[in-house]
Amino acid sequence: MASDVDTAPLVGRAALVQTVRSALLGEPAHGQTAAVFLTGESGVGKTRLLGEVGARLRDQGALVLTGSCLDIGDASPLHPLLQALRRLDAEMSTSHARTSSAVRGLLQMFADETAGADGAGALLERVSRGLHLIAEGRPLVLILDDLQWVDRSTRQLLLYLLAGLGDLQLSVLAAVRAESLQGAHPLRRVLTELRRLRTVRVLDLSPLDRPDSERLAAAVVGRPLSADAAEQVWQRSGGNPFVIEELARDLRDGRDGLSETLREIFLDRVDALPQHAHAVVHAVATGVEPVQHWLLAQVLRLPEDELIDAARAAVAHRLLVGADDGYRLRHRLVAEVLAHELLPAERSGLHRRYAEALTAAPGELHQARLAHHWRLAGEPGRALPAAVAAAQEAERLHGYAEAHRHWSVALQLAGDPTVVTADRVELLGHAAESAHHCGEHARALSLLEELAAVQGGEPSCALHIRRARYLAAAGRSALAEEEYQRALEAADCSPRDRATAAAHLAELLLHLGRYADAGRRAREALELAASVEGSATEVVLASAALGFSDAYLEDPDAGLAVMRQALDTAERAGKPEDVACAYLHLAELLTGPLNILEEGVVVARRGAERVAELGLGRTWETRLLAIAANGLFRVGQWAEAEKVVAAALRHRPSGADAVELLLARCRLSVGYGDIEAADRDLDAVATVLAGGGARHVIPLLTLRAGLAMWEGRHDVARQAVQRGLTESRSDDVTILGALVWHGLRAEAEAHASRTEEVDPTAVRRLRDVAERVARKGASAARPVRSVVDGFLALCAAEVSRLDGSDPELWARSVAEWDRRNHPYPAAYSRLRQAEALLARRSRVAFAGKLLREAYGVAQGLGAVPLTSEIRELAGRARVSLDEREATDGAPGVLATGPVDDELAALTVREREVLSLVAEGLTNREIGQRLFISERTIGVHVSHIFDKLQVRTRVQASAIQLRNRRG
């Protein structure tokens, strides 16, 4: 079965193609026969594979005959062989007169054949001799498609030839539609006989796996698929390549629903089933997979022997998959097709029989299925208690996404006018809380507003606390702080509510970077919690905030001890959100202010694994993985950080959960020079952070400035920094120090480029803020002061660039960042130190050494913009970045004159990429060759196009080839 998407690549079959080629031509000894029979369901790619292997075998010098069997029984004996010979005759040129003559002779022999006394054996011998003449000593490969329809004469010929009875070195490659080999099909006996031969293989062609299915669909669509689209294609296709191509083409062309081609194909396959097997497929399509055998028996009410025979037929026709836990459809598309084939009364009747069978099952928990079947059977009153029970069971097992789905169904059922016993207030409360836990923050706030409207009157203290929690999770920190204040001021605020509000407010202030305020609120919360029974949550939140505050502002060891105690308390209490919160703040403290990076990454990853076990994958696991990625970024493990971010993004987080993750990915994009991706993430974070605090806003604006500087837009960088300086409520002097560095760097870059005037007012303001950072840093804990000193060293060195860069200040910055094990700012500082030395024409050899060290780090990180700047400086100064190119007399200085070819503007890495582009490799293949990401290759290619002033890969390749010849 072939799709009309002819350009779709052969995906996921490379190993199988090699196996088949080897079995047919590589393994058999001279004079031996060999055969490979490919079995598989319709559309799995058998015909495509036959064509691919046939083309490869022709390239190896084999003579390939290709024919197809017809579904006409034995009416046309030896039809596939005759068809193959006619095709070969049509393809023969005048230069193959001898072969053409042999082909026509064999065809004439068939035309003249009459029934005689010598019988079939003589005919087979004459066919064998004729094929021997055609082969002329070459390996002969007979490729047969749709062998399930093979006629008796062709079956006899295959047995004769493959048994070695003819004087011929022959290989056979044939495809068999597996679902057709049912009952007493004659080919089953033939394959059984042939399997006994050592050189015969029967290989089952399986559907594609998930990654290959996505690759094939993306190739047809012409772009990568979104996560939702990829999931839908995978679920509907079951990995069947033909179905994937059809679905992908519909997706590409904007067609909704199911194509008539697929509908008719699957209906034909279902209609071909025996009657009871037909009923089995309909029942499984209506049920919730997997459908256990006992349940199917209750629904269909067939005798056991008949049910087993029917299920076996459905499995054999490749419509069902049978496993120990029950039956599943091989393709979910079958359910879509059959949904329109049953009358509404038939569908509701099946759902009713499922519900009745599940209700009667002793000792089994089937609440989710019960709710589903009673609802579709038109019984909302009976579905509602099952939906509620399913939601409660999911919550008990920390399955918050599933719980939210069940609570939402319960709300829908409670809205039915025939249901009179539902407590809508209770259902709304549960639905809102489950939405909050599973990361559906907008949905949680919407449900909470509906709950407030149903309750009526003034909002209670508990409602204020709840709204504040949801707002904070959605990234709306300013509104959340106001709600906590309202809760504390509410007349109905009990001691427990007051302790809860104070603890949550302390934790929020910690997120906002207001560590002193967080510490004060945390102490207040702990005092309130001391008089309240069962206040473990409040103690954990307040202790985490207090420990962080103390560690940052006063005593790191004492603060860490408090935070580790908070984690122990959370684990003993067992509440998932408390455990997650304790892990989060401990990891944040270690990877951030205290600069204990390796331990911080370990804690973040361990915490991510723990909260995933507790069902908080989309929310807290995402945030912990973002912290791990930030730590890995700082220690220079960018590739590993990229993997961590990609793993976290699979949860598709929203709200505040997404902010840290997007910022982590943006740091990587800015470092890599992926401007488009960085811009996209920064815009997304800015949207989420409307009303957010300095702890995230300042890093956002710092990244915006860094990106603008790599683009040469120094005015944009200046504006971003000036906006960040208005965020004055944060105690986090480390992020403020980074912002000030970027501001002074923007002014220094503007001065160096001579494209824009330096703003003296901005410089003066930045120096004032730097002094304020120094004063506040002096009163912080020692590890915090150490990080602040690193940024202050960068600030002082950047100021020196405005009036003749001072190499000694840059040397101090190098030492500061080397000591902290932050390779990126250390490499940047080496670049600037070398630049300052070269400008003064002093210690040129040492400057070359600095550039080579910086270049090695930048290349290892994949920091394309930094690498390019190092290359440009080295090119201007005629300094070699390769020790082998340096002269003996002047190490680090190039002995040759300036390069005047068209590629002079390209970096070494860009030249490597361009040479591979000229070989015709894709970005992915180049990335695999050079061991860097596909996205980084895309950035390199973009830079190459800009520097060479070309628009296509062909134009760039032409320049590469022209210069290589020169």
Side-chain angles (χ1 to χ4, degrees), residues 871 874-875 877-882 885-887 890-899:
R871 288 286 305 171
R878 299 180 61 220
V879 170
S880 171
L881 295 175
D882 189 337
E885 297 177 6
T887 63
V893 181
L894 288 173
T896 60
V899 179

Side-chain angles (χ1 to χ4, degrees), residues 775-893:
R775 288 194 300 272
K776 292 183 74 172
S779 62
R782 181 181 52 78
V784 178
R785 288 199 306 272
S786 177
V787 176
V788 170
D789 286 345
F791 284 115
L792 292 175
L794 281 167
C795 290
E798 295 287 4
V799 170
S800 78
R801 291 177 69 195
L802 299 173
D803 187 23
S805 190
D806 186 345
E808 292 305 317
L809 290 176
W810 285 112
R812 179 189 161 206
S813 181
V814 169
E816 291 282 354
W817 291 108
D818 276 346
R819 186 162 59 247
R820 289 161 187 77
N821 191 28
H822 287 239
Y824 184 79
Y828 173 81
S829 300
R830 282 184 169 84
L831 163 65
R832 296 298 173 216
Q833 184 184 1
E835 183 180 54
L837 290 169
L838 291 169
R840 298 183 179 202
R841 292 182 172 81
S842 65
R843 303 179 68 190
V844 175
F846 182 60
K849 178 175 180 292
L850 290 170
L851 283 176
R852 283 189 292 279
E853 290 173 351
Y855 183 67
V857 171
Q859 275 204 313
L861 295 173
V864 174
L866 181 59
T867 302
S868 297
E869 190 163 351
I870 295 168
R871 288 286 305 171
E872 288 170 10
L873 175 59
R876 290 198 308 270
R878 299 180 61 220
V879 170
S880 171
L881 295 175
D882 189 337
E883 291 284 1
R884 293 170 299 182
E885 297 177 6
T887 63
D888 293 334
V893 181

Side-chain angles (χ1 to χ4, degrees), residues 107-108 125 134 245 258 324 390 465 487 525 585 610 612 714 786 794 867 873 884 959:
L107 286 170
Q108 187 62 42
E125 178 60 29
I134 292 170
E245 292 181 22
L258 192 62
D324 290 342
I465 293 172
H585 293 310
R610 180 74 177 103
H714 309 304
S786 177
L794 281 167
T867 302
L873 175 59
R884 293 170 299 182
I959 294 175

Side-chain angles (χ1 to χ4, degrees), residues 18-57:
Q18 184 57 39
T19 298
V20 173
R21 287 173 58 193
S22 176
L24 295 177
L25 290 189
E27 296 174 5
H30 182 72
Q32 283 190 336
T33 60
V36 173
F37 294 91
L38 297 173
T39 67
E41 65 176 336
S42 301
V44 80
K46 301 183 296 298
T47 301
R48 177 69 188 280
L49 198 66
L50 295 185
E52 185 74 19
V53 173
R56 303 277 183 93
L57 295 178

Side-chain angles (χ1 to χ4, degrees), residues 211-258:
D212 284 336
S213 297
E214 189 169 343
R215 282 179 56 207
L216 177 57
V220 174
V221 174
R223 64 179 185 278
L225 271 63
S226 67
D228 287 339
E231 175 68 18
Q232 189 178 45
V233 168
W234 167 247
Q235 291 295 337
R236 298 174 79 196
S237 70
N240 184 287
F242 174 78
V243 179
I244 293 169
E245 292 181 22
E246 290 289 319
L247 293 173
R249 189 169 70 254
D250 288 344
L251 190 65
R252 180 195 65 197
D253 298 339
R255 288 193 292 268
D256 293 329
L258 192 62

